[in-house]
Amino acid sequence: QAAIRKGAFDQDVLFNAYDEFETIGREVINGQSCWNVRMTGAETGEVTRCFSTETGLQVAATEAGRQLLYAEYREIDGLKYPAVMTGTVEGQSVTMTLKSVSHAPLPPETFALPADVKALVN
């Protein structure tokens, strides 16, 4: 379960994976005032998330020595996504920029096994 959660596209909003929530303070991150919330779960461990006091959107997440910053939220098909996400681990930073999102269904052939792999399965 924990591996599935960590690999999920929407892992940052899977709040039902946590058993306890505690507001532990308020701070300013990237110029935004936010509430720090400690979230813990038996299978998920502990993570601290910071939610904007103005919008309620997630500004940052800290877990196991890494920090993720979320910025430039955009609404796409009625859902809000952070368009810019910056992760920092041990002094190294990586910034990801969301270019597009599609909610269109994928054709079944997208998941079809290649012939050589299918032969191994049979």
Side-chain angles (χ1 to χ4, degrees):
Q1 285 255 351
I4 291 170
R5 182 191 69 83
K6 287 197 180 276
F9 174 76
D10 58 352
Q11 67 173 300
D12 290 330
V13 294
L14 295 176
F15 299 119
N16 61 349
Y18 299 95
D19 303 315
E20 295 179 32
F21 301 84
E22 179 186 7
T23 302
I24 57 173
R26 186 174 177 170
E27 70 177 301
V28 175
I29 296 178
N30 284 344
Q32 288 191 45
S33 174
C34 57
W35 292 108
N36 278 321
V37 179
R38 180 185 302 130
M39 301 160 53
T40 55
E43 291 184 18
T44 55
E46 181 178 302
V47 62
T48 301
R49 306 262 170 101
C50 204
F51 298 93
S52 169
T53 58
E54 185 179 318
T55 66
L57 296 171
Q58 190 169 211
V59 174
T62 305
E63 178 180 12
R66 68 181 178 115
Q67 183 181 48
L68 294 169
L69 300 176
Y70 304 91
E72 297 181 32
Y73 277 84
R74 296 183 187 152
E75 188 168 323
I76 303 169
D77 294 338
L79 300 171
K80 290 188 178 183
Y81 293 92
V84 178
M85 296 159 279
T86 302
T88 303
V89 178
E90 296 181 12
Q92 299 292 314
S93 293
V94 174
T95 298
M96 298 167 282
T97 303
L98 183 68
K99 296 288 185 185
S100 67
V101 173
S102 173
H103 297 111
L106 295 171
E109 58 269 14
T110 302
F111 302 101
L113 295 174
D116 52 346
V117 174
K118 196 172 189 178
L120 294 171
V121 174
N122 294 331

